[in-house]
């Protein structure tokens, strides 16, 4: 007889796991916003990913697996590398930049001044949204 963990549907948050705790594929998929089937696919493409598998093939990811998944996700989705390019970076042990002519896909990164302007615009929009949320709380209260 084990107690069930509270679910978010019941209006209570699940207890936080320790940073060193192993996580299931569903927990990792939720945390990284990556579908489970993509994580399983990445295991076949990136030999460095080796989650523990227990009874029935259930996967348990170590903190270092999760850090590697975050890095792969960043390289693929944010920096625009191809799977082959990420494989090469991980194999060569460097991720400082493209290797062997492998260029990231997409637009080149914006110049630093453009990033600063974008950050300032986002901060201003966030402040405006927070002010609106405060007004709504007052009206609802």
């Amino acid at each position: 007889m084990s107690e069930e963990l509270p679910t978010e549907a019941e209006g209570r948050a699940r207890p936080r796991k320790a940073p060193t705790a192993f996580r299931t594929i569903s927990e990792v998929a939720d945390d990284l916003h990556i579908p489970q089937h993509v994580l399983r696919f990445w295991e076949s493409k990136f030999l460095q990913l080796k989650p523990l598998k227990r009874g029935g093939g259930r996967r348990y990811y170590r903190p270092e697996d999760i850090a590697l998944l975050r890095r792969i996700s960043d390289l693929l989705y944010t920096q625009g590398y191809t799977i082959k390019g990420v494989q090469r970076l991980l194999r060569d042990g460097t991720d400082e930049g493209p290797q062997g002519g492998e260029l990231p896909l997409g637009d080149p990164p914006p110049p630093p001044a453009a990033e600063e302007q974008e950050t300032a615009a986002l901060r201003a929009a966030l402040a405006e949204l927070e002010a609106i949320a405060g007004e709504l709380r007052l009206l609802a209260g």
Side-chain angles (χ1 to χ4, degrees):
M1 291 188 188
S2 63
E3 281 187 31
E4 290 186 45
L5 292 175
T7 63
E8 292 173 9
E10 295 171 340
R12 292 177 281 172
R14 290 178 181 250
R16 302 287 299 167
K17 283 189 174 182
T20 57
F22 285 36
R23 292 186 166 58
T24 64
I25 192 168
S26 61
E27 291 172 322
V28 174
D30 289 344
D31 287 348
L32 300 180
H33 306 292
I34 298 170
Q36 293 179 25
H37 71 273
V38 172
L39 296 176
R40 288 189 290 271
F41 173 73
W42 286 356
E43 286 177 35
S44 71
K45 295 296 180 186
F46 302 103
L47 301 178
Q48 299 87 343
L49 274 177
K50 293 186 190 223
L52 293 178
K53 291 187 184 172
R54 296 279 165 90
R58 189 172 171 101
R59 290 165 170 81
Y60 289 93
Y61 290 87
R62 297 175 284 259
E64 54 269 20
D65 294 323
I66 297 168
L68 179 57
L69 286 168
R70 282 186 203 284
R71 187 67 188 132
I72 291 169
S73 174
D74 177 61
L75 289 167
L76 289 172
Y77 298 140
T78 306
Q79 297 185 31
Y81 280 86
T82 62
I83 287 181
K84 240 182 195 176
V86 175
Q87 287 170 332
R88 186 174 294 128
L89 290 174
L90 294 175
R91 184 181 61 241
D92 294 346
T94 177
D95 54 16
E96 296 301 317
Q99 297 290 316
E102 178 71 29
L103 295 175
L105 300 175
D107 296 331
E115 285 181 8
E116 290 172 13
Q117 289 174 343
E118 185 176 333
T119 301
L122 288 172
R123 286 192 177 138
L126 179 61
E128 184 177 344
L129 288 171
E130 287 173 342
I132 292 169
E135 290 175 18
L136 289 172
R137 279 189 220 104
L138 288 174
L139 291 173

